[in-house]
Amino acid sequence: MRAGARIAAAAEVLDDILNRHRPASMALANWGRAHRFAGSGDRAAIGTLVFDALRRRHSIAARMGSDEPRALALGAASRALGLSAEEIAATADGSEHALTPLSDDEVKGLTAELPADLPAYVAGDFPEWLQPSLERAFGERAAEEAAAQAARAPIDLRANMLKATPDKVLKALSRYNAEATPYAANCVRVPAPEGAGKAPHLEAETAHGKGWFEVQDEGSQIAALLAGAGPRMQVLDLCAGAGGKTLALAAGMQNTGQIYAYDADKKQLRPIFERLKRAGVRNVQVMDGGEEDALKALGPRFDLVLVDAPCTGSGTWRRKPDAKWRLKPVNLEERIKDQVAVLELGAEMTKPGGALVYVTCSMLPEENRDQVAAFIERHPDFALEPFAPVWEKQVGGAAPASADGHTDTLQLTPASHGTDGFFIALMRRHKQ
């Protein structure tokens, strides 16, 4: 397919996403089934164009003077496909499958400069209703912090120290320009592709099949490190999902002690079995998903309870850009209720003197600082532990500043730390 046909296809998919409210993955799959003549390279380029348009929806619309799917596809084409404004205009020749010729306004929009006084939600490319929340978290830097979530994300990997080393993983993936990351010692990063480049499918690599690494953002790895799981501890991963942090905790515990992996959704938990086997993890007891009574029967026996709470996912917008436009206030309200429930359960399972670690992949204070403050007010037998001393012990080196300026909890963000958006609060239950 020529570039003009790819832009036209992206506009069609964007219409399906924005006007028919279909998830991006479903809209792209539907388009592919209806246009089987498109090759894998075409489908990859169209997907890149769609996701780039969604990442920068507001700022593209401001530049193009329209938020229609065609305008968004055109406005994203320069960066996504590596085309100049003249080349984009030339591709819109009205031929079969291509766009109809550009209007004068569209041609101007391709090279227009954005004004400096844009509202934060436009400059930062996030839903307008979230501006008060992000300004409460980051103040005048709200647009800057959110704009970093509109960039493409790298692929971060955790070298599995039960089977490999970071150097071994770096060597195995050297053809992808793999590199070390600033903070987590076992993290390896493959840079985000530029232009029409496609991200590699690293889970198809032989090294992954051997269990040498797992795909895991550095922010998630930092959360697991700060949790402080060590040899012979009794640990509960309360919202284990597919097991990413469970695997990281097991490596830190050197396959000793015991981790109980639990999730309320057994479908989310199902992939953990294959991952445990591949990684060579032997100290994890996977509990039946949703069987809360069986979990409670274990009692407050845990040295560490990790609560990787359900959240809006606002910290992962680089990877799931369509999710930020589907997010509504009612979704935030639902997640807040879920977080309260899982924190209560986590408190019940934490032994006196034990640690309760609360983590979200969110940048919204309603899910982060507000939840922690409310929890401690309900549970005066728990207290926050400042993250910096724990960082020095568990991660190594001086701790970075939290993106929200606080010193007792840690907010990681793409703009400030190069990670996904993660919030981490370390709490300890008083000894009785």
Side-chain angles (χ1 to χ4, degrees):
M1 295 172 64
R2 298 170 60 191
R6 289 176 171 180
I7 298 170
E12 187 176 336
V13 174
L14 285 165
D15 180 65
D16 204 18
I17 295 167
L18 299 176
N19 296 325
R20 296 179 183 84
H21 309 292
R22 284 196 177 93
S25 58
M26 182 183 296
L28 285 163
N30 288 346
W31 187 92
R33 283 191 292 269
H35 300 81
R36 295 190 181 277
F37 61 83
S40 61
D42 294 320
R43 293 193 298 272
I46 293 165
T48 296
L49 185 48
V50 166
F51 282 116
D52 275 7
L54 291 170
R55 288 185 178 97
R56 299 182 291 119
R57 178 183 175 183
H58 277 336
S59 59
I60 290 174
R63 183 159 52 83
M64 297 296 295
S66 170
D67 62 355
E68 290 298 312
R70 172 183 164 108
L72 297 176
L74 284 168
S78 177
R79 187 181 302 181
L81 301 182
L83 300 175
S84 68
E86 293 76 14
E87 289 170 329
I88 294 170
T91 65
D93 56 9
S95 60
E96 186 179 10
H97 302 303
L99 291 169
T100 56
L102 272 57
S103 68
D104 290 343
D105 287 341
E106 288 175 331
V107 171
K108 291 178 183 177
L110 292 176
T111 56
E113 296 289 335
L114 286 171
D117 58 349
L118 287 171
Y121 75 92
V122 177
D125 282 298
F126 60 88
E128 183 178 2
W129 69 273
L130 286 174
Q131 182 163 322
S133 291
L134 290 174
E135 288 182 338
R136 186 154 67 92
F138 305 113
E140 294 181 352
R141 296 176 53 252
E144 176 187 348
E145 288 286 355
Q149 285 281 20
R152 296 182 190 176
I155 303 175
D156 286 356
L157 315 169
R158 180 182 56 80
N160 177 19
M161 296 298 286
L162 299 176
K163 288 193 171 184
T165 64
D167 286 343
K168 202 170 184 178
V169 175
L170 283 166
K171 185 176 180 180
L173 303 178
S174 60
R175 64 187 178 280
Y176 300 119
N177 299 316
E179 58 191 10
T181 57
Y183 303 118
N186 297 332
C187 189
V188 171
R189 175 167 293 165
V190 173
E194 297 181 358
K198 182 180 179 181
H201 181 35
L202 297 178
E203 290 180 325
E205 293 293 312
T206 301
H208 182 263
K210 292 179 179 179
W212 289 7
F213 67 82
E214 291 289 332
V215 177
Q216 185 177 27
D217 183 76
E218 187 179 26
S220 180
Q221 295 184 44
I222 289 170
L225 288 169
L226 290 178
R232 296 179 296 280
M233 289 177 63
Q234 292 290 307
V235 175
L236 172 61
D237 189 353
L238 187 52
C239 305
K245 291 185 180 65
T246 305
L247 296 172
L249 295 172
M253 295 167 69
Q254 302 171 22
N255 250 343
T256 66
Q258 186 78 60
I259 302 174
Y260 288 82
Y262 175 83
D263 200 281
D265 186 343
K266 62 182 179 182
K267 292 181 180 178
Q268 292 286 333
L269 197 58
R270 179 62 185 84
I272 196 173
F273 297 99
E274 291 79 5
R275 299 181 75 184
L276 291 171
K277 182 178 180 180
R278 184 176 60 245
V281 171
R282 301 186 301 273
N283 66 334
V284 172
Q285 176 71 39
V286 182
M287 304 193 69
D288 290 338
E291 297 293 330
E292 191 172 304
D293 288 342
L295 175 65
K296 289 183 175 180
L298 296 173
R301 61 187 291 180
F302 293 100
D303 302 297
L304 165 65
V305 176
L306 175 62
V307 176
D308 187 8
C311 68
T312 59
S314 58
T316 64
W317 284 342
R318 296 188 300 175
R319 306 179 192 278
K320 302 174 183 177
D322 58 322
K324 65 180 169 182
W325 308 115
R326 293 200 308 271
L327 183 63
K328 306 299 179 194
V330 66
N331 305 132
L332 177 57
E333 293 170 6
E334 290 168 353
R335 294 290 80 77
I336 288 172
K337 292 177 182 177
D338 293 340
Q339 291 153 10
V340 170
V342 77
L343 271 169
E344 291 300 310
L345 180 56
E348 187 176 338
M349 307 305 295
T350 307
K351 77 177 188 181
L356 176 63
V357 177
Y358 177 69
V359 178
T360 72
C361 52
S362 174
M363 304 201 306
L364 305 180
E366 293 89 342
E367 301 184 278
N368 297 339
R369 296 279 304 181
D370 293 357
Q371 281 287 23
V372 170
F375 172 81
I376 290 178
E377 185 174 352
R378 295 193 305 270
H379 295 273
D381 54 330
F382 283 83
L384 272 171
E385 293 190 336
F387 70 87
V390 181
W391 179 291
E392 293 171 7
K393 178 182 178 182
Q394 298 296 134
V395 182
S402 180
D404 59 8
H406 293 285
T407 58
D408 49 359
T409 58
L410 176 60
Q411 178 71 67
L412 300 170
T413 66
S416 295
H417 308 94
T419 67
D420 282 350
F422 273 91
F423 174 82
I424 306 161
L426 312 174
M427 295 176 281
R428 188 160 303 271
R429 190 172 191 176
H430 302 318
K431 292 182 179 180
Q432 295 177 344

